[in-house]
């Protein structure tokens, strides 16, 4: 296993150095994708020792993740550890993902093992969306909206993704699980500070339901399952 961390970032100059340094402490190379920030996110990420990919226009978190995955693939990494650049994800938990990634195609950090510090609205939203995503995925998922996850390049290569915003994370989980890639969850804590959520309640809720409709009609996991089997036989 040759993992690299991929951190999508938009206006995270205040926290990105701390996140990059926290991940590098565990021996992982770090790729930061600056999604056309207005601040010095890219510069501070480079100073902290990260490789930086810059978008010339803001393309959304999903596309930032995919750009980071493409860079990791180009550099020969076999797994990507995804985490946010705002400092909400505890970098001391990186070893949990590395250990679980030895026996699973996907590792998802779950905050729902102890959600006591999570705001009530977020907790309610996460539980509701996780129930829906679990039903579509055919696998019980306790925290489908967690951005802290580890994914093998084999899964990335097999799963077609069409979303570019926050809905990409749900799309990937559903398609990969239906294509029979293995999933493990590890308990995580989330650090809540003064940061403001970048999720747009109305737009991203609409994107989520539009995603479910698209998955119901197109069923892309059939293609993903075929690619997975071809990868296993090659």
């Amino acid at each position: 296993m040759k993992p690299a961390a991929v951190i999508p970032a938009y206006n995270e100059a205040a926290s990105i150095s701390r996140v990059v340094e926290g991940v590098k402490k565990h021996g992982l190379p770090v790729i930061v994708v600056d999604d056309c920030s207005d601040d010095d996110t890219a510069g501070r990420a480079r100073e902290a020792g990260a490789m930086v990919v810059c978008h010339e226009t803001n393309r959304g978190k999903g596309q930032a993740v995919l750009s980071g995955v493409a860079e990791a693939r180009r550099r020969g990494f076999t797994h990507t550890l995804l985490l946010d650049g705002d400092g909400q994800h505890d970098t001391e938990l990186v070893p949990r993902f590395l250990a679980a990634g030895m026996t699973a195609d996907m590792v998802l950090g779950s905050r729902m093992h102890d959600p006591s510090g999570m705001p009530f609205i977020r907790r309610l939203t996460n539980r509701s969306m996780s129930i829906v995503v679990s039903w579509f995925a055919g696998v019980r998922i306790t925290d489908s909206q967690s951005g802290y996850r580890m994914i093998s390049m084999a899964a990335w290569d097999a799963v077609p993704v069409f979303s570019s915003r926050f809905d990409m994370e749900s799309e990937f989980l559903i398609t990969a699980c239906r294509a029979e890639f293995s999933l493990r969850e590890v308990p995580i804590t989330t650090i809540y500070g003064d940061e403001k959520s970048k999720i747009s309640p109305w737009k991203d809720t609409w994107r989520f339901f539009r995603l479910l409709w698209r998955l119901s009609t197109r069923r892309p996991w059939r293609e993903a399952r075929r690619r997975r089997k071809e990868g296993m036989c090659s």
Side-chain angles (χ1 to χ4, degrees):
M1 187 168 67
K2 184 182 176 184
V6 171
I7 305 176
Y10 177 64
N11 291 343
E12 305 292 5
S15 56
I16 194 65
S17 297
R18 173 166 39 91
V19 176
V20 170
E21 291 167 357
V23 174
K24 286 179 66 67
K25 184 173 68 175
H26 298 286
L28 267 68
V30 179
I31 300 169
V32 171
V33 181
D34 177 23
D35 196 24
C36 195
S37 297
D38 298 323
D39 60 14
D40 192 30
T41 295
R44 296 191 182 185
R46 289 192 185 94
E47 291 174 359
M51 299 170 274
V52 178
V53 176
C54 293
H55 286 173
E56 294 183 0
T57 59
N58 183 269
R59 298 162 64 184
K61 182 183 180 183
Q63 193 57 56
V65 169
L66 294 177
S67 293
V69 171
E71 182 66 16
R73 181 186 295 109
R74 188 182 71 82
R75 292 177 178 270
F77 294 106
T78 62
H79 293 71
T80 56
L81 174 71
L82 305 178
L83 69 162
D84 295 341
D86 59 5
Q88 282 198 10
H89 294 146
D90 187 356
T91 57
E92 292 300 318
L93 303 181
V94 167
R96 294 186 184 182
F97 289 85
L98 298 180
M102 298 293 292
T103 57
D105 299 299
M106 301 177 291
V107 182
L108 183 65
S110 175
R111 299 161 290 183
M112 307 313 286
H113 295 273
D114 182 16
S116 55
M118 184 181 295
F120 174 75
I121 295 299
R122 288 196 188 186
R123 191 187 313 178
L124 180 62
T125 301
N126 283 358
R127 287 194 185 280
S128 301
M129 296 182 75
S130 294
I131 290 172
V132 175
V133 170
S134 296
W135 189 85
F136 272 82
V139 175
R140 183 174 183 268
I141 299 170
T142 63
D143 190 1
S144 66
Q145 303 310 298
S146 171
Y148 207 172
R149 52 184 73 183
M150 188 170 186
I151 301 173
S152 70
M153 201 60 71
W156 281 119
D157 289 343
V159 175
V161 176
F162 302 98
S163 304
S164 62
R165 300 282 173 176
F166 288 97
D167 49 339
M168 188 278 286
E169 294 171 319
S170 296
E171 178 183 13
F172 185 90
L173 269 182
I174 291 170
T175 305
C177 288
R178 290 295 294 266
E180 300 175 357
F181 283 100
S182 56
L183 172 69
R184 286 188 61 184
E185 291 188 340
V186 296
I188 63 170
T189 54
T190 301
I191 306 165
Y192 289 104
D194 298 329
E195 64 280 342
K196 183 179 179 181
S197 175
K198 295 181 176 67
I199 295 177
S200 172
W202 293 109
K203 288 183 179 180
D204 286 307
T205 298
W206 163 246
R207 290 187 181 108
F208 179 72
F209 284 107
R210 186 176 60 182
L211 165 67
L212 299 181
W213 171 256
R214 186 171 68 245
L215 292 175
S216 298
T217 56
R218 296 184 182 178
R219 302 188 179 185
W221 45 81
R222 294 173 178 171
E223 173 65 15
R225 191 178 294 125
R226 181 187 65 80
R227 293 181 185 179
R228 181 184 64 83
K229 291 180 178 179
E230 288 180 351
M232 291 173 62
C233 295
S234 62

